[in-house]
């Protein structure tokens, strides 16, 4: 498993993690929406062993990304 995917599974100052049966969601920490938006762009653009399904909120920023590992 890629290091980036491993670090995404752990909460950070910018995101929380909700584990799901088929993967996990990352969500912004309140007050860190801009930083989370930048992280979400990295996740979406990253060519790794996962599929990323982002969702934008009403403010036009990403409010979560569903990550499904494809190579475990």
């Amino acid at each position: 498993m890629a290091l980036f995917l491993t670090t995404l599974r752990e909460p950070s100052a910018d995101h929380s993690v909700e584990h799901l049966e088929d993967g996990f969601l990352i969500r912004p920490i309140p007050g860190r929406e801009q930083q989370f938006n930048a992280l979400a762009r990295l996740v979406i653009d990253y060519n790794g062993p996962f599929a990323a399904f982002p969702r934008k909120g009403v403010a036009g920023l990403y409010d979560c990304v569903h990550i499904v590992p494809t190579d475990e």
Side-chain angles (χ1 to χ4, degrees):
M1 183 184 314
L3 180 60
F4 187 64
L5 182 58
T6 302
T7 58
L8 286 174
R9 289 181 188 267
E10 298 298 324
S12 75
D14 299 329
H15 78 285
S16 64
V17 178
E18 180 182 334
H19 295 278
L20 305 171
E21 189 174 314
D22 64 345
F24 58 98
L25 293 177
I26 58 171
R27 297 180 184 273
I29 299 294
R32 306 286 295 179
E33 291 83 5
Q34 293 291 337
Q35 294 86 346
F36 178 81
N37 201 65
L39 174 63
R41 286 283 355 139
L42 286 174
V43 171
I44 294 161
D45 293 340
Y46 191 78
N47 186 14
F50 58 85
F53 303 95
R55 183 179 74 186
K56 284 196 174 182
V58 292
L61 300 174
Y62 293 105
D63 66 1
C64 77
V65 180
H66 184 182
I67 299 171
V68 180
T70 57
D71 190 31
E72 286 193 349

